[in-house]
Amino acid sequence: MSTSTLFSLEGKKIAFSGATGVLGKTMALHLAAEGAELLILGRTPEKVNELVAEVNASSGKAWGYFADVTDEESLEKVAKVIESQHGHIDVLINSAGGNMPGAVIRPDQNFLDLDSQALRKVMDLNYLGTVLPIKALLPLMLKVGKGNILNISSMAASRPMTRVMGYASAKAAIDNLTKWLSVELAHKHGPEFRVNAIAPGFFLTEQNRTLLTEPDGSLTQRGNQIKTHTPMNRFGKPEDLLGALQWLCSDASAFVTGTIIPVDGGFSAYSGV
């Protein structure tokens, strides 16, 4: 089998939540350029429609669906529409997630300052926002006897970071879910079901920009610490995720399941000494 065939995404139906963010958009545009058919899920119609239009204007194929990833009922309704229009899906990418100020412990705070309601929202968005789309859309894979689920984790999952207590806990749950579900699906539904995750290192996004950079663009103390502890001595660029994304979405990774793939510039390998 040629390399181009092995890594091909041509005609794969990929449902994608969280595709309108900084990293998600870059991934979505790449998948479309590689011939995938994108089913974009989001709760903000304007953002979803904008991305769908951009994909289609570039000769790609995309459809938009509106659902809140924490709302099981809305996801079930969307799943029925997708089934009626597309029949099945080949890949589900769960990229919806984020953080909230109240679930962050600043240097001038301690654990008792944690906002439990903010923590609940962060856990709901990152963890339930992955579980519920899987629950709603898995039947569209089961009907054809195969499927591929790709979750988005974080370096904060395996190496708990100071401050981002809620986000780190939620992403640790994603790692556990990825491994657990890989075994569950393989044992009960067969070897053509796979579940993996990508764990990005530090990428500048709208969510973490104020933590890592000053208003003038220079690095904060935290930004400098992270860069120093990244052997490649830089933050990631969205394009850095595309190789792992292509591999995990394609048949090139047919015997890969239950893995968390770091894309972190060496951050997870560096002890600091």
Side-chain angles (χ1 to χ4, degrees), residues 83-106:
E83 182 175 21
S84 69
Q85 294 179 347
H86 300 277
H88 75 283
I89 61 172
D90 300 300
V91 182
L92 170 60
I93 300 175
N94 294 297
S95 184
N99 205 356
M100 294 189 68
V104 173
I105 308 299
R106 300 192 309 268

Side-chain angles (χ1 to χ4, degrees), residues 44 57-58 60 72 81 90 136 142 154 191 220 232 238 254 267:
T44 307
S58 302
E72 190 167 8
V81 176
D90 300 300
L142 293 175
S154 168
T220 62
M232 288 189 175
F267 183 89

Side-chain angles (χ1 to χ4, degrees), residues 26-240:
T26 298
M27 291 191 288
L29 292 173
H30 172 77
L31 295 171
E34 290 293 309
E37 299 179 10
L38 292 184
L39 316 179
I40 306 296
L41 280 70
R43 64 180 180 180
T44 307
E46 295 80 6
K47 291 182 178 180
V48 172
N49 289 335
E50 181 181 347
L51 179 55
V52 168
E54 185 171 351
V55 169
N56 291 332
S58 302
S59 301
K61 296 180 180 179
W63 294 261
Y65 302 92
F66 312 127
D68 183 335
V69 293
T70 66
D71 183 343
E72 190 167 8
E73 184 177 352
S74 73
L75 287 165
E76 289 173 349
K77 289 179 180 178
V78 161
K80 291 179 180 178
V81 176
I82 291 175
E83 182 175 21
S84 69
Q85 294 179 347
H86 300 277
H88 75 283
I89 61 172
D90 300 300
V91 182
L92 170 60
I93 300 175
N94 294 297
S95 184
N99 205 356
M100 294 189 68
V104 173
I105 308 299
R106 300 192 309 268
D108 60 336
Q109 294 178 315
N110 61 48
F111 178 72
L112 298 180
D113 294 309
L114 176 70
D115 182 337
S116 58
Q117 288 303 111
L119 174 63
R120 188 182 303 276
K121 290 179 180 178
V122 170
M123 293 298 295
D124 282 353
L125 175 58
N126 290 277
Y127 184 67
L128 283 180
T130 295
V131 171
L132 296 182
I134 294 173
K135 188 170 183 284
L137 294 169
L138 179 60
L140 303 189
M141 298 178 176
L142 293 175
K143 68 185 292 186
V144 293
K146 60 181 179 179
N148 184 0
I149 297 170
L150 179 59
N151 300 323
I152 303 300
S153 181
S154 168
M155 274 298 100
S158 58
R159 298 186 64 180
M161 310 296 171
T162 57
R163 304 193 196 182
V164 290
M165 177 260 184
Y167 182 77
S169 298
K171 289 302 188 181
I174 294 299
D175 282 9
N176 188 279
L177 170 69
T178 297
K179 295 176 182 180
W180 181 88
L181 193 60
S182 70
V183 176
E184 172 77 3
L185 295 185
H187 279 177
K188 294 183 179 177
H189 301 291
E192 291 198 75
F193 286 89
R194 303 190 289 119
V195 189
N196 295 289
I198 292 175
F202 291 89
F203 292 69
L204 280 177
T205 67
E206 295 310 312
Q207 294 175 7
N208 66 17
R209 191 172 298 276
T210 56
L211 280 174
L212 302 180
T213 61
E214 302 287 2
D216 64 2
S218 63
L219 296 180
T220 62
Q221 180 182 4
R222 184 177 182 83
N224 273 308
Q225 287 177 324
I226 289 168
K227 189 176 177 183
T228 299
H229 282 78
T230 301
M232 288 189 175
N233 197 38
R234 67 173 176 87
F235 295 122
K237 299 175 291 187
E239 294 77 12
D240 291 328

